[in-house]
Amino acid sequence: METRSTRRKKPSHIAEKGIDRISDLPDAVLHHILLLLPIKSIAQTSLLSKRWRSLWSSFPDLDFTTININPNAISSINHNPNAKNSHPHSSSTTGLDFITRVLGHRDKNSDLRFLRFRGSLSFSHLNGIIRRAIRHNVQQLDVEVATDDYFNFPRSVIASESLRVLKLKSRFPGFRLPPSSVMKDGFRSLHTLSLSLIILHNQPSLVDLFSSDSSSFPLLKNLSLDACFGLRHLSVGCKALEELTLENCFQLQDLSISGPKLERLRVARCFDASGGKSWVEINVPRLKILHWVHNAITDYSDLENLSLLHEVSIGFCVLQEDVSVVKLHSVSNFLSGLSHAHYLTLESQCVQIISSNNYFAVYLQPFNNLRSLELHTGFKKNNVLGLAFLFRSSPTLHTLILKIINDYKIERRQWNRDLWDMSSSEEEQFWESQTHTLKSFLHHLKVVKIHGFLECENEVSLAKFLLKHGKALQEMTLCTGHSSARDSLRRQKIRSQMMGFSWASSNAKIAFH
């Protein structure tokens, strides 16, 4: 029987259960565990023991995004007489003060894996933080700041041999890049570069910085440029580049893109639509994914060596309904350069341009490798002609997706015909006239999905035509969305009419959603 005295005296191997074994784990393991905590909670662990103080002073991943950095923090550093003796996790410590102290108390021999922070501060404080990070051989630097005035690009990062990832975003008012001559031979180890809100009024060209002849960025794989104000000329040809994103460069006039390893390209909301000649040249033999959306139409387009294209999305921003012959020719050249694509999405403005001009009846090149075609359209009356052009240019298409944009400003006739009315509408007669030219298209098409199907004349006529002549058709889905009882009756009438004639494919199935 166990007495009180025996309960008090526990064997030594049992008493050892209270020993701190977590502290005995390797530094790398403890650093990984601490990474799951907010940065101030990690700092508080330094009070536990000398061991944890050492872990904190050598912690390689500093994420200050949970810290509030505001302009008040700037003055508080200069007016705090006890700043040197205050702990970094003190409740009186401001956000900027906290970051400064963490970097100031850091083990001089420990490297930084990444440093990330957001906030409002002066350029001098921003430059000071980045300089300290560079001294600790930071590998990833992710900064998003607002400053009182334009600030110059921190030159300390240019010569860094440790920096692998640099993301610099200015919320307001922007930052200036140094001259290309200053950045020449820099960024020797950089793999990823992302710059946002760049001011280039005195340096409108970045032709030399990222070109194939430049000695900068020899290892760069990912490049993102956003909101480059004043940028008019850009050439990108980095030999190791794999992904390029260019957005919100509204004043851009000419763009040249090349590169033996580039696979993914996104250009959105770029080019000057108001004046000056503009052009784009793309020569990327390994390009697989291209997103070209909401861009103004350039005066000249030349796309070459895109034989590996897999996924493409195209959309243009058109300020005037009447597009000049020069720009029509540019659109034609652009689309012709995409002829090897397997999956193609065309936004509504692109479909409208093709629909409004007989130019494309002659010059639209075939997409012989195309498996899936997604078209966004208001499905106005003149869109029917453009759709026919696109179908004819897709002779081996497997899947057709139509996303109808139902705009109240667009007048579209509802389908309202009786079951016994065997006459053909104008739209039906048009599609019947295309049967011969669309023979290959109709013999390969297997899946049709129409979103925004509101039982209007245009889409009903097209659906009937595809059922009547689509010899390989297996599945047709008509997505109507929410509807009233009256709409349900009309849908039932349309369904009955579609069942009232023989389909070209005995395997075809139709579904309403």
Side-chain angles (χ1 to χ4, degrees), residues 203-387:
Q203 185 186 345
S205 174
L206 290 180
V207 171
D208 299 331
L209 187 59
F210 301 107
S211 68
S212 57
D213 298 328
S214 174
S215 55
S216 302
F217 306 104
L219 301 179
L220 191 65
K221 293 183 178 180
N222 298 281
L223 173 62
S224 176
L225 300 175
D226 176 38
C228 301
F229 290 97
L231 178 64
R232 291 180 172 81
H233 315 287
L234 177 63
S235 176
V236 179
C238 303
K239 295 179 180 179
L241 196 65
E242 297 177 359
E243 182 170 356
L244 171 62
T245 300
L246 184 65
E247 297 182 316
N248 301 309
C249 297
F250 305 108
Q251 296 166 299
L252 189 64
Q253 292 179 350
D254 51 78
L255 174 65
S256 175
I257 301 175
S258 59
K261 295 185 178 181
L262 188 62
E263 294 185 356
R264 296 173 296 278
L265 172 62
R266 173 178 171 81
V267 180
R269 297 174 296 278
C270 291
F271 293 100
D272 186 354
S274 57
K277 296 233 176 202
S278 57
W279 54 266
V280 57
E281 291 180 345
I282 301 177
N283 189 337
V284 188
R286 294 185 62 176
L287 192 66
K288 295 179 180 178
I289 299 175
L290 170 62
H291 295 289
W292 189 275
V293 291
H294 305 301
N295 296 306
I297 303 174
T298 57
D299 294 297
Y300 173 77
S301 299
D302 184 17
L303 281 64
E304 296 181 352
N305 296 326
L306 305 183
S307 58
L308 297 182
L309 264 183
H310 188 73
E311 177 186 325
V312 179
S313 179
I314 303 298
F316 295 108
C317 179
V318 182
L319 300 180
Q320 300 176 349
E321 288 192 12
D322 294 331
V323 180
S324 68
V325 175
V326 171
K327 292 190 181 293
L328 287 177
H329 186 64
S330 179
V331 172
S332 177
N333 286 344
F334 195 98
L335 294 176
S336 296
L338 309 174
S339 60
H340 295 284
H342 290 246
Y343 297 85
L344 176 63
T345 298
L346 297 181
E347 300 290 340
S348 58
Q349 288 282 19
C350 188
V351 174
Q352 185 62 30
I353 292 171
I354 296 173
S355 302
S356 302
N357 299 275
N358 289 326
Y359 182 92
F360 293 94
V362 178
Y363 294 105
L364 192 61
Q365 297 298 310
F367 298 93
N368 291 320
N369 296 333
L370 200 60
R371 295 276 296 164
S372 175
L373 175 62
E374 180 175 320
L375 303 175
H376 299 189
T377 174
F379 222 141
K380 295 187 289 187
K381 186 174 181 180
N382 71 330
N383 291 147
V384 174
L385 187 61
L387 296 183

